Amino acid sequence: MVKLFKKKEKVEEESRKIKANDPSGNVAKQYAGNEISTSKYNLITFLPKNLFEQFRRLANAYFLFLLCLQLIPQISSLAPITTILPLVFVLALTAIKDASDDIARHRSDREVNNRQTKTVVGKEFVTRKWKDIKVGDMIQLTNNEFVTADIVIISTSDDNGLCFIETAELDGETNLKVRQALEETCKIGEDIGQLSNFDGEIEYEAPNNNLGRFEGNLTWNGKTYPLKNDNVVLRGTRLRNTQWAFGIVCYAGPDTKLMKNSGKAPFKRTQIDRLLNRIILGIFFFLLIMCAIMTICSGLWESFVGYDFRMYLPWEGFLSKDRRIGAIQKSLLVFLSYIIILNTVVPISLYVSVEFIRLLQSKFIDWDIEMYYKPNNVPAQARTTTLNEELGQIEYIFSDKTGTLTQNIMTFNKCSIRGKLYGYTTDKDGNEIQDPEKIKAIEFEEKDEDFQWYDQKLIDAIKNGDEDEHNFFTLLALCHTVMPEEKDGKIIYQAQSPDENALVSAARTFGFVFDNRTQSSITARLQDKEETYDLLNILDFNNDRKRMSVIVKKDGKIVLYCKGADSKVKERLDASEKEIMAQTDEHLNKFATDGLRTLCLAWKDLDEGEYNKWAEKLDKANTSMENRDEKVSEVYEEIEQNLKLLGATAIEDKLQDGVPQCIEHLARAGIKIWVLTGDKVETAYNIGLSCRLLTNDMEINVIDDEDEKGVAAKLDQVRNEMIEKIEGLFDVKIQDRKKRLDWKEWGIDVMKFDQHRKNTTSNNNNNKEQTKVTNGHPSSTTAATTENEPTSPDRESFEGFGLLITGQALVHALSDKLKLKFLELGTMCKAVVCCRVTPLQKAQVVELVMENEKKITLAIGDGANDVSMIQKAHIGVGISGQEGRQAVLASDFSFGQFCYLERLLLVHGRWSYLRISKFLRYFFYKNFAFTLCHFWFGFFSGFSAQTVYDPFFVATYNVFFSSLPVLALGVFDQDVTSEQSMNKPHLYTPGQNNEFFNKKIFAESVIHGILTSCIIFFVSYLSVSNSSRPSGMSQADLQSFGFMVATIMVVIVNLQNALEMWNWTGLYHFVLWGTIVVHFLFHFALYSPLVSKIFNTNYAYVGVAQNVLTTGNFWFTLFITCAVLLLPVFCREFFRMRFMPNKTDRARLNQRFRMEEKAAFVAHIKQKMHQPKRVVRSGYAFSQQEGWGPLITSGRMQSKATSRVRPSNITNTTSPPSTTTEHGSSHTANSPSTLRPTEVLNPMQSKKISSASSRETEPLLSSTKDQ
C-alpha cells in the first residue's frame, strides 16, 4: 500500500540506448511516453491544490479562523452565516475561474495527444494516437504533418534522404531547413519489409534542452555511423515539401527538446496581492493589540466594578465565582468576542469586491472595440481576471520578434542602380510624397500579393532598355539558391530565406523571371526571352562571408554575380568604382534610416583561362584533408575581387501595424523593452531600427563571443566604455567603479538625457564652477542643460545605450559568475536584443530580471517557442498569429496585434491600477472608521463587547450602505480620457513607482479612518449626553445613539468617496445619492411599528429613526461632523492641486486647456532645428544560411518546375533591334511587353504568386541520383 503513494524517484540519465523494432525491450527501460500535460490540475488534485493556493492568501485563512470562532456561541454575537456565505462565494468564484482556464489547457493537451500518426508494426502500418507513441517506435511522417516526437530520420521520399522542415514553433523562423537521413539508411525507402526488419541500435545523449545539438551513434549491420543534429527532426517542427519520411523516436513527450524548453504553468499573484498579505498580517496584529487592550480593561473593570453588579449583569454559569479568577475568565472570553466584533477592519466583502472589480476590468478589455483585430476576427481577451492592475506597473517587456513585431512578410521596397535611386515618389517640386493616400500603387500582371511599387521611373527605365537596370535584375534572377515549382500556372518559389524570396519575386514582377534550375544550369525569362545559363559554381553564403556569388556561363562568356553586405562588397570593388560607391553609400544610409534591410550587388567578367586556373584551386581546396573550410574560403576570396558595383536593394521586413509608434510610446512610459529572438544579430538589429527600439543616436554594443573568457572580457569592456561615455556627457564622476551603475543614483532621467547634459558653454569658461562629486553624485551646483536651453548644434546626440548579444554568448552571460554583470549592463540600456536564443534562454533572461530587479515584467509572443517566457513573466501576453495558439493558451491576455499592447498597458492597465489603488485605500479608510466606533464604545459599555450599532446594520454596512459607491469608484473612475492616457505615456510611471497604493498610503488611510471614527463617535456622544427630546426624555439611549452614529457614518464615508471620485457620471450620481437615501428609507421601514407587528417581535429599535431624525440636534451634529471631517480634506486637495500638482493634476488641467501640447510642439521644433547629424549604421540584414548551394550543385536537390514562355508583362509600341550585353546574355533591349501600369491592365488578369511561406501541400523538391 505504501508503494502506491511513494513518489517515484527520478533517475538521472547519462545516455540512452534503444533498438529499432524492439518494443518490449524499449518499454522495459521505462522512458517517458509521448503524452504531454501543460495543465495545473486534474480531477483528483483540483480541490486540494486550488484550496491550498487560495488559502496561501492570508485573508482567506484569516476569514476561516474567524468562521471557526463564530461557531462558538458563547463568544459570538454575530451569526456564522455572515462569514460562511461570502467566504464560500470568494473561494467558489476563484475556483471556477481557475477551472475554466485549466479546462482550456486540458482541451489543448487532448487535441495534441489525440493526433494520429502511422507506425510500423510488424509488416504493416498501424495508425496510433500521439499519446500512444513510445521511444523506439518507427513512425511515418507525411507532407505538412507536425512531427510527433524527436525522431532520428531513417529514410525519406527523396532519393538522397533529404527532407525539409519548418521550425517556426521552435525558433520563430519561417525559413525551411534541410535535414537528411544517413546515406546508408536512406536506401531503405518506404519498403515495409525492410523497415520492419531494421534492427539498428542507437546510442545517444540523455534528454536535454539544447535545440542545436544531437550526438549519437547508429550501429547497424556490424558498422557504427555517427548521428548529428542534421539527422534529427524535433517535435514542434513541421514536415514541408517532402512526401514522406520514416524515423525512430528517440525522445518522447516531456523529454522532447520542445517540452524541455517549456516551463510548467505557475501560479501568479499580483504585487498588490502580496502587499495585501503583509497588510492583513499587520492589521491582524493591530486587531490583537486592540483586543488585548479591551481584555485588560475588561479584566480590571469586572474585578473592581462588574463583580458587584452581577445581579444586573450576571456572569455565565461556567465562570468561576472567585472575583479575580472569574474576571480573568470573563476577560478572555471578551478577547475572543472583540476579535469577532472588530474583524470588520478587513471584512470578507473586501475580497468579494476586489474579485468583482477585477472581473469587470477584464470584461472591459474583452469588450474594447479598439483592440479588436478585424482581418482575423480576433478580439482582445483577458484569460485571467487576477492580474489586471499589474498591467499598470510594468517596467520590463520581453518580446519575441518574428510574428510578434513583424508579419513574417518581406517585400522588395527600394533600390539603387549605378547611382540612380528608385522607390521614392516625388511631387513636381522634387519633394518626397510620404502620404500613401496621395500616391497610387502600380499593378503588375504577376506579383506577390504584398508587393507594392509606386515609382514609375524604374518601369520607364526598363521599358527603355537601360542596360544597368537590365543587369541589376538579371543578377537578382540568377544569384540565389531558390527552388521553383510550377503548379496551376503559377510559379511557387521556395527559398531558404524570405529575403531571397523577396528579391527573386521582385525580379519576376519586373519581367526577369527565374524559371528552372538543374545542378548545372539556370533557366530564366529575361523580358520574355528565355535564357539558359551554365551554372559553374555557387559560392555559398555563410555568417563570416556575409555574401554569396554564382559563376555562370552564357555564349562563351563567364560572369560572376555577387550579393552581400555593403561592408563586404565595398572592400572587393575595383578602384574605379569609388565614385559610384560614394553615391550608393548615400542611398544605403537613406535606406538604413528608413529601417530597410540592404544588400549590395556586384559583378565581374571572368576570362576563361583565369577561371579554369581558379577552378583547379577550388577542386584542391575541396579535397583537402586539413582545414578544408578555411582553404575553400580563401579560394572564394581570390575570385571575388575587382568587382563592379551594380547597386543595392532595400527590403522591408514588414512590421505589424503601429509597432514603431507603440514601442516609442511604451519607451516614453519608462518601460524597458528587451527583444528575445531566434534571428541573427544583423536581422534583429535591422528590425530594432525599423520599430524604433534602437536609434542611430544610441551607443550600441554587440557581444558575440563564444567562450566564457571572451564574454567576460567583452562585458568589462562595454562597462568601461559606458562609464567613460557617462562621465564625458554628464556631470558625473564615478569614483567607485566597482559599484553597480545606476542612472537613478546620479539623478538622471533616462527619458530626458538632454536636461542632464554638461553645459558646454560653461565648460569652456575656466571661471565657471567645476563639477563637485560626493560619493559619485553631482552636487546641486553642477552646471547642466536646463529644460528650456536649446541643444548646441555641435554637440553629440545621445539617446542612451543599446545592447545586442548572441545566444552563444548568452549561455555564458547567464552563468552564475557573469549574470549580474550582464544584468547591470542590460538595466543601463534603453533596449536589449538577445539573438539566436532558445526558448529556455528566453525564460532564463526573464527570470534573471525578475529575481534581481524585483520589477514587474511582461512577456509577449506568438509561438510555442515563447511559451516558457510567457509563463515565467508576471504577465504573459499571447498574440493570435500564424504559429498556432500555444502562446495564447499559455497567456494571461491575448489579442491580434502587438500595437494593442500600448492600449492594454497605458489605458486598461493604468486605469486598473489607479482604480484598485483608490478602492483599497478608501475601503480601509471606511472600515477602520466603522470598526473603531466599537472600540471607543467599549470604554462606555464596561468593555463587554457590546456593539454600538444595530446588529442588522453591522451585517449590512458593507453590503448595502457603503458598497455601491466604492464599487463605482473601483470600476468606473478615471483621471483622464483614454486618448489622454495614450498621448501622455509619462502618466504611466506612478504605477511603476507604486505611488497610488503602498504602505505609507495604507497607513494614512488607517489614520484617517481612526480620526474619522473618533470624531464621529465623540461629537455624537457629546451632542446627546446632556440633551433631551421635546417630550423631555433623554436622547442618550443606546438605540438612538447607535442610529445617530451609523447615519452620520454612512453620510460621511459616502461623501468622502465623492471627494475621491474624478469621473462623475449620471450613474455615479444615482449610486451615491441613492445609497444615502436608501439608508434613510430602509431604516424608516425597518424601525417602523409595522415590521414589529408583522414578525411579532419586541424589536428594541422600533421608532428610533423617526425620533432621532425629527430632532434638530441630529441635523446640527451631522452638519458639524461633515464640516470638521470633509472641509480639511477638500482644502488640502485644493491647495495641493493649486500649488503642488502632480503629473495627473497637470494632465487633467491640460485636458481642458491643452497647454502642454503647445509647449511640447515648440520644444520639438527647437530640438529638430539644433539636432546634429550622426553617421548612420549599415542596414545589412540577410537571414540566409549555409547549406543549399552544395546540395544544388551536387545534384541532391533539384526543382520540378518546367520552363515555359508566358504572356509578357510590358508592352512597347516599338521593338528595337536585339543586342548582346557584356554579360554574354542575348536579349532584346526593348522587347515588347515587359511591364504595364495599372491603367493598361485588366485587373482580372492579375495573378497572385505564393511566397516562401506557402502552405502548398504538393512536394516542391525532388532529387536525382548522382549523374
Side-chain angles (χ1 to χ4, degrees):
M1 188 70 178
V2 176
K3 292 183 179 180
L4 292 175
F5 297 95
K6 188 176 180 180
K7 188 175 180 180
K8 186 178 179 180
E9 295 184 2
K10 180 75 174 179
V11 180
E12 291 293 332
E13 299 180 62
E14 294 183 0
S15 64
R16 284 188 172 186
K17 191 172 184 179
I18 60 174
K19 185 175 182 180
N21 293 312
D22 182 17
S24 58
N26 295 328
V27 168
K29 297 177 182 179
Q30 296 185 338
Y31 295 138
N34 203 41
E35 186 172 8
I36 63 166
S37 173
T38 60
S39 58
K40 296 180 184 178
Y41 314 104
N42 56 39
L43 285 174
I44 297 175
T45 63
F46 175 73
L47 195 59
K49 285 183 70 174
N50 189 264
L51 287 177
F52 172 76
E53 182 62 27
Q54 290 202 60
F55 281 112
R56 285 176 61 187
R57 179 184 282 177
L58 287 181
N60 289 337
Y62 168 70
F63 295 130
L64 182 63
F65 169 71
L66 287 179
L67 175 60
C68 294
L69 290 182
Q70 286 182 311
L71 294 174
I72 305 174
Q74 287 80 5
I75 62 173
S76 177
S77 59
L78 298 175
I81 196 69
T82 58
T83 300
I84 292 176
L85 287 181
L87 181 60
V88 171
F89 175 78
V90 171
L91 296 177
L93 186 67
T94 306
I96 290 171
K97 174 185 62 64
D98 291 341
S100 176
D101 293 342
D102 212 53
I103 287 172
R105 298 187 186 97
H106 275 286
R107 286 174 180 165
S108 175
D109 292 342
R110 194 179 306 114
E111 178 187 349
V112 172
N113 290 328
N114 288 331
R115 289 177 181 172
Q116 295 185 338
T117 191
K118 290 184 178 180
T119 61
V120 177
V121 179
K123 299 289 185 180
E124 60 182 358
F125 293 111
V126 176
T127 300
R128 287 181 177 173
K129 295 179 179 179
W130 278 25
K131 64 182 180 182
D132 298 326
I133 300 298
K134 306 294 182 184
V135 172
D137 287 352
M138 180 173 287
I139 68 173
Q140 180 189 25
L141 300 172
T142 57
N143 191 39
N144 292 321
E145 182 180 349
F146 281 105
V147 178
T148 314
D150 292 353
I151 296 168
V152 177
I153 306 170
I154 299 300
S155 63
T156 72
S157 56
D158 184 275
D159 292 340
N160 294 302
L162 298 179
C163 69
F164 296 85
I165 58 172
E166 182 185 90
T167 61
E169 291 284 2
L170 289 181
D171 54 21
E173 295 185 8
T174 55
N175 313 340
L176 293 189
K177 295 180 175 60
V178 179
R179 295 293 183 264
Q180 58 189 80
L182 292 174
E183 186 177 348
E184 290 75 16
T185 63
C186 67
K187 299 175 183 177
I188 294 177
E190 56 181 337
D191 188 306
I192 185 66
Q194 293 189 56
L195 289 170
S196 60
N197 292 328
F198 182 76
D199 59 353
E201 289 189 354
I202 304 177
E203 185 174 5
Y204 54 99
E205 61 189 354
N208 59 77
N209 55 38
N210 192 330
L211 294 172
R213 187 192 73 189
F214 181 85
E215 295 177 355
N217 292 309
L218 170 66
T219 302
W220 185 45
N221 293 335
K223 295 183 180 180
T224 300
Y225 309 98
L227 295 172
K228 53 185 180 179
N229 203 51
D230 288 344
N231 307 123
V232 177
V233 292
L234 303 181
R235 181 182 183 127
T237 62
R238 198 171 190 176
L239 195 67
R240 291 291 192 193
N241 304 315
T242 307
Q243 288 182 333
W244 49 262
F246 288 92
I248 298 173
V249 176
C250 57
Y251 303 124
D255 289 340
T256 59
K257 292 183 182 287
L258 174 64
M259 297 305 295
K260 285 287 184 182
N261 277 279
S262 300
K264 197 72 176 174
F267 293 101
K268 294 184 179 182
R269 291 185 298 165
T270 67
Q271 192 176 56
I272 283 184
D273 273 340
R274 292 188 289 271
L275 177 59
L276 276 179
N277 272 351
R278 295 192 292 271
I279 286 175
I280 296 300
L281 202 58
I283 290 177
F284 184 70
F285 284 120
F286 179 72
L287 176 63
L288 292 180
I289 291 172
M290 288 195 297
C291 293
I293 293 173
M294 292 290 102
T295 299
I296 294 171
C297 292
S298 175
L300 294 174
W301 191 88
E302 292 289 348
S303 178
F304 292 104
V305 180
Y307 183 81
D308 299 324
F309 287 87
R310 286 179 298 161
M311 181 179 297
Y312 305 101
L313 298 172
W315 288 0
E316 287 78 359
F318 55 84
L319 296 180
S320 172
K321 303 300 182 182
D322 182 78
R323 177 188 293 263
R324 293 185 179 179
I325 296 176
I328 292 174
Q329 292 175 339
K330 179 75 172 178
S331 64
L332 291 177
L333 292 177
V334 166
F335 177 85
L336 297 176
S337 296
Y338 266 110
I339 284 183
I340 296 174
I341 291 175
L342 300 179
N343 82 84
T344 48
V345 286
V346 187
I348 188 69
S349 60
L350 168 65
Y351 283 93
V352 176
S353 301
V354 167
E355 293 297 328
F356 180 74
I357 290 171
R358 285 173 170 169
L359 177 64
L360 283 184
Q361 298 296 344
S362 300
K363 290 303 176 184
F364 289 158
I365 294 173
D366 294 345
W367 298 333
D368 191 346
I369 196 66
E370 298 293 330
M371 297 172 64
Y372 171 66
Y373 187 54
K374 190 174 181 179
N376 291 351
N377 190 29
V378 178
Q381 183 181 11
R383 298 176 54 80
T384 180
T385 61
T386 58
L387 304 174
N388 301 324
E389 65 270 15
E390 207 144 67
L391 291 170
Q393 299 179 279
I394 303 298
E395 289 197 56
Y396 285 87
I397 291 177
F398 300 91
S399 174
D400 179 39
K401 182 193 78 70
T402 307
T404 303
L405 300 177
T406 64
Q407 301 182 38
N408 291 339
I409 297 171
M410 293 190 189
T411 58
F412 182 83
N413 194 277
K414 294 173 177 62
C415 64
S416 171
I417 303 177
R418 296 295 291 177
K420 291 171 284 187
L421 184 61
Y422 295 111
Y424 293 95
T425 54
T426 57
D427 56 22
K428 294 181 292 183
D429 299 325
N431 300 317
E432 182 185 346
I433 303 174
Q434 296 184 344
D435 187 354
E437 295 183 359
K438 295 182 179 180
I439 53 179
K440 186 177 181 182
I442 300 170
E443 292 191 11
F444 300 89
E445 200 167 317
E446 286 190 81
K447 75 176 185 70
D448 280 346
E449 184 176 358
D450 298 294
F451 180 78
Q452 298 288 337
W453 188 259
Y454 302 95
D455 190 358
Q456 183 68 33
K457 297 193 299 294
L458 180 58
I459 296 175
D460 294 338
I462 295 174
K463 290 167 66 176
N464 294 332
D466 190 299
E467 186 175 344
D468 293 331
E469 279 71 5
H470 183 279
N471 295 339
F472 181 90
F473 285 106
T474 298
L475 185 151
L476 294 183
L478 299 179
C479 184
H480 53 77
T481 56
V482 172
M483 302 300 295
E485 179 188 13
E486 186 172 329
K487 182 181 179 183
D488 299 331
K490 303 176 182 177
I491 288 183
I492 299 172
Y493 288 145
Q494 196 60 262
Q496 192 183 6
S497 71
D499 309 72
E500 285 253 84
N501 183 79
L503 293 174
V504 178
S505 297
R508 174 187 59 203
T509 300
F510 288 104
F512 296 78
V513 184
F514 165 60
D515 261 350
N516 197 10
R517 72 158 72 245
T518 67
Q519 70 184 87
S520 58
S521 67
I522 299 177
T523 301
R525 287 184 294 107
L526 309 180
Q527 294 183 297
D528 287 331
K529 185 174 180 62
E530 186 172 292
E531 305 278 4
T532 300
Y533 293 79
D534 294 330
L535 178 61
L536 303 182
N537 300 94
I538 297 178
L539 283 57
D540 207 3
F541 178 93
N542 65 36
N543 290 332
D544 294 325
R545 284 168 42 77
K546 294 185 178 180
R547 65 191 184 278
M548 73 162 292
S549 300
V550 295
I551 301 176
V552 296
K553 185 176 182 181
K554 181 74 170 70
D555 298 335
K557 291 188 176 182
I558 302 175
V559 184
L560 180 145
Y561 290 114
C562 177
K563 68 181 180 188
D566 52 333
S567 59
K568 296 295 183 180
V569 172
K570 189 186 303 184
E571 62 191 22
R572 288 162 178 77
L573 294 178
D574 190 77
S576 62
E577 299 294 296
K578 288 184 178 180
E579 183 177 346
I580 292 296
M581 191 64 233
Q583 296 176 12
T584 306
D585 267 337
E586 293 182 8
H587 298 163
L588 287 169
N589 288 342
K590 188 171 180 61
F591 297 155
T593 303
D594 292 341
L596 302 176
R597 302 158 65 102
T598 59
L599 288 175
C600 276
L601 312 183
W603 66 282
K604 68 181 283 189
D605 283 326
L606 297 176
D607 178 79
E608 189 164 355
E610 174 190 0
Y611 170 77
N612 290 335
K613 292 180 181 179
W614 176 84
E616 291 179 4
K617 292 182 181 180
L618 181 61
D619 287 340
K620 291 181 181 179
N622 278 326
T623 55
S624 175
M625 297 303 294
E626 296 181 357
N627 302 321
R628 179 179 299 176
D629 292 340
E630 290 80 1
K631 291 181 179 179
V632 169
S633 182
E634 289 175 4
V635 176
Y636 285 175
E637 290 278 350
E638 182 180 327
I639 197 71
E640 293 173 327
Q641 298 293 333
N642 301 319
L643 303 177
K644 293 183 179 180
L645 184 67
L646 261 177
T649 62
I651 295 175
E652 180 185 7
D653 188 354
K654 282 188 174 294
L655 297 171
Q656 291 186 8
D657 295 337
V659 166
Q661 296 81 3
C662 174
I663 288 180
E664 182 180 9
H665 285 184
L666 293 176
R668 286 171 53 197
I671 299 174
K672 294 183 178 180
I673 301 176
W674 292 28
V675 173
L676 312 177
T677 177
D679 280 336
K680 297 190 301 182
V681 171
E682 295 88 354
T683 305
Y685 169 72
N686 190 272
I687 286 296
L689 289 176
S690 300
C691 66
R692 302 180 195 170
L693 179 67
L694 304 173
T695 70
N696 288 306
D697 289 329
M698 279 185 179
E699 293 293 326
I700 299 176
N701 297 284
V702 179
I703 301 176
D704 55 3
D705 300 78
E706 296 186 358
D707 59 276
E708 184 175 358
K709 187 176 180 181
V711 172
K714 187 66 174 180
L715 289 172
D716 290 334
Q717 177 190 337
V718 172
R719 188 177 189 274
N720 292 331
E721 290 175 357
M722 281 186 176
I723 292 174
E724 293 174 3
K725 193 74 177 178
I726 292 168
E727 291 182 338
L729 296 179
F730 304 96
D731 287 310
V732 173
K733 183 66 177 176
I734 302 173
Q735 293 178 332
D736 185 2
R737 296 205 166 199
K738 293 183 179 179
K739 189 176 180 181
R740 178 168 177 174
L741 305 179
D742 188 357
W743 292 110
K744 291 183 179 179
E745 186 178 344
W746 307 316
I748 297 176
D749 186 349
V750 295
M751 302 309 300
K752 301 176 181 178
F753 281 125
D754 281 344
Q755 294 185 19
H756 305 278
R757 294 284 294 273
K758 286 181 178 179
N759 191 336
T760 54
T761 57
S762 64
N763 290 341
N764 294 332
N765 187 345
N766 294 329
N767 296 325
K768 296 287 182 182
E769 290 183 88
Q770 299 297 315
T771 302
K772 298 180 182 180
V773 180
T774 305
N775 297 326
H777 298 269
S779 70
S780 59
T781 60
T782 299
T785 305
T786 63
E787 188 171 357
N788 297 324
E789 180 183 343
T791 306
S792 175
D794 57 348
R795 190 170 70 169
E796 177 187 0
S797 294
F798 178 73
E799 293 186 3
F801 299 105
L803 181 67
L804 283 81
I805 184 169
T806 62
Q808 188 62 40
L810 194 61
V811 170
H812 305 294
L814 292 175
S815 65
D816 292 337
K817 183 179 178 182
L818 299 177
K819 65 181 182 182
L820 292 182
K821 285 186 178 181
F822 168 65
L823 179 63
E824 177 189 24
L825 299 186
T827 54
M828 286 293 291
C829 295
K830 271 193 172 182
V832 177
V833 181
C834 301
C835 313
R836 291 294 188 195
V837 293
T838 64
L840 185 62
Q841 282 180 318
K842 292 183 178 184
Q844 289 173 338
V845 172
V846 175
E847 185 177 22
L848 176 67
V849 175
M850 288 175 62
E851 290 185 352
N852 295 280
E853 288 298 293
K854 307 300 180 184
K855 305 295 185 183
I856 306 300
T857 60
L858 179 147
I860 180 170
D862 71 323
N865 58 315
D866 304 313
V867 167
S868 55
M869 73 169 180
I870 286 174
Q871 292 178 333
K872 178 64 67 175
H874 294 100
I875 301 286
V877 178
I879 292 182
S880 300
Q882 301 177 6
E883 300 181 20
R885 288 182 52 82
Q886 287 86 346
V888 171
L889 293 173
S891 67
D892 305 304
F893 301 88
S894 65
F895 39 69
Q897 291 277 279
F898 180 88
C899 62
Y900 297 147
L901 183 62
E902 177 186 1
R903 186 172 179 86
L904 181 69
L905 300 187
L906 301 189
V907 177
H908 292 287
R910 201 180 73 82
W911 280 352
S912 293
Y913 171 70
L914 171 70
R915 289 163 176 169
I916 205 74
S917 298
K918 294 182 73 173
F919 166 82
L920 289 173
R921 70 193 191 202
Y922 172 76
F923 202 97
F924 284 120
Y925 152 76
K926 79 179 183 67
N927 278 85
F928 268 85
F930 170 78
T931 305
L932 265 292
C933 288
H934 290 301
F935 182 78
W936 307 128
F937 185 63
F939 290 93
F940 298 90
S941 63
F943 310 100
S944 61
Q946 170 67 46
T947 61
V948 66
Y949 309 113
D950 177 5
F952 197 87
F953 178 77
V954 173
T956 57
Y957 171 75
N958 281 302
V959 178
F960 297 123
F961 306 128
S962 64
S963 59
L964 290 182
V966 72
L967 285 176
L969 177 74
V971 172
F972 300 111
D973 194 24
Q974 61 184 52
D975 50 357
V976 293
T977 63
S978 59
E979 292 77 12
Q980 285 283 93
S981 294
M982 295 182 69
N983 292 335
K984 297 183 180 299
H986 66 276
L987 295 178
Y988 187 81
T989 55
Q992 298 169 332
N993 301 325
N994 297 310
E995 293 180 14
F996 291 152
F997 188 74
N998 49 47
K999 293 177 181 178
K1000 179 183 175 183
I1001 288 179
F1002 165 72
E1004 291 175 353
S1005 299
V1006 169
I1007 293 172
H1008 188 193
I1010 294 173
L1011 290 176
T1012 299
S1013 70
C1014 186
I1015 290 173
I1016 290 176
F1017 181 86
F1018 286 104
V1019 169
S1020 299
Y1021 176 78
L1022 292 174
S1023 72
V1024 300
S1025 58
N1026 294 312
S1027 64
S1028 61
R1029 298 187 180 92
S1031 62
M1033 295 181 64
S1034 173
Q1035 293 186 7
D1037 61 278
L1038 173 62
Q1039 289 75 20
S1040 298
F1041 177 68
F1043 176 68
M1044 176 183 286
V1045 171
T1047 302
I1048 295 175
M1049 180 69 66
V1050 169
V1051 173
I1052 290 291
V1053 297
N1054 282 293
L1055 291 181
Q1056 179 67 40
N1057 180 280
L1059 291 178
E1060 293 278 347
M1061 190 75 173
W1062 277 328
N1063 186 33
W1064 283 64
T1065 62
L1067 177 63
Y1068 181 71
H1069 275 285
F1070 175 78
V1071 166
L1072 174 66
W1073 307 117
T1075 297
I1076 296 175
V1077 170
V1078 164
H1079 169 79
F1080 286 100
L1081 296 178
F1082 179 82
H1083 283 90
F1084 257 114
L1086 180 67
Y1087 296 166
S1088 67
L1090 181 63
V1091 172
S1092 179
K1093 291 179 181 179
I1094 293 175
F1095 293 99
N1096 195 24
T1097 60
N1098 186 18
Y1099 192 35
Y1101 282 83
V1102 172
V1104 167
Q1106 183 177 357
N1107 289 335
V1108 171
L1109 296 178
T1110 55
T1111 62
N1113 184 56
F1114 165 78
W1115 296 105
F1116 180 74
T1117 304
L1118 176 62
F1119 175 78
I1120 290 296
T1121 309
C1122 289
V1124 171
L1125 289 174
L1126 299 179
L1127 274 180
V1129 175
F1130 179 83
C1131 294
R1132 183 197 65 183
E1133 285 299 295
F1134 175 81
F1135 180 84
R1136 183 188 60 78
M1137 294 174 66
R1138 179 66 179 83
F1139 299 104
M1140 295 182 295
N1142 56 29
K1143 294 177 180 178
T1144 302
D1145 298 327
R1146 293 191 183 97
R1148 287 170 59 79
L1149 185 65
N1150 183 62
Q1151 185 170 301
R1152 296 184 62 186
F1153 302 107
R1154 303 189 61 188
M1155 294 181 297
E1156 287 183 7
E1157 277 91 342
K1158 299 171 186 176
F1161 177 76
V1162 174
H1164 175 74
I1165 296 300
K1166 287 183 178 180
Q1167 182 180 4
K1168 290 297 181 182
M1169 291 174 63
H1170 292 89
Q1171 190 166 349
K1173 288 189 176 180
R1174 188 181 175 112
V1175 177
V1176 180
R1177 296 178 175 87
S1178 168
Y1180 161 72
F1182 194 52
S1183 54
Q1184 189 85 341
Q1185 293 182 342
E1186 188 176 11
W1188 281 30
L1191 292 174
I1192 293 172
T1193 54
S1194 66
R1196 299 188 69 182
M1197 186 165 73
Q1198 290 187 1
S1199 71
K1200 297 175 69 176
T1202 57
S1203 298
R1204 70 181 183 88
V1205 179
R1206 290 193 175 88
S1208 58
N1209 282 358
I1210 301 180
T1211 302
N1212 267 348
T1213 55
T1214 60
S1215 299
S1218 177
T1219 61
T1220 303
T1221 69
E1222 55 185 338
H1223 292 58
S1225 58
S1226 176
H1227 72 285
T1228 304
N1230 268 344
S1231 60
S1233 193
T1234 315
L1235 290 171
R1236 180 177 298 174
T1238 311
E1239 46 272 12
V1240 182
L1241 283 175
N1242 181 347
M1244 298 301 294
Q1245 296 174 345
S1246 177
K1247 298 179 180 179
K1248 294 183 179 179
I1249 311 300
S1250 296
S1251 64
S1253 58
S1254 170
R1255 299 300 192 229
E1256 297 292 340
T1257 56
E1258 291 297 321
L1260 169 66
L1261 305 173
S1262 65
S1263 63
T1264 60
K1265 295 183 179 179
D1266 295 338
Q1267 297 177 358

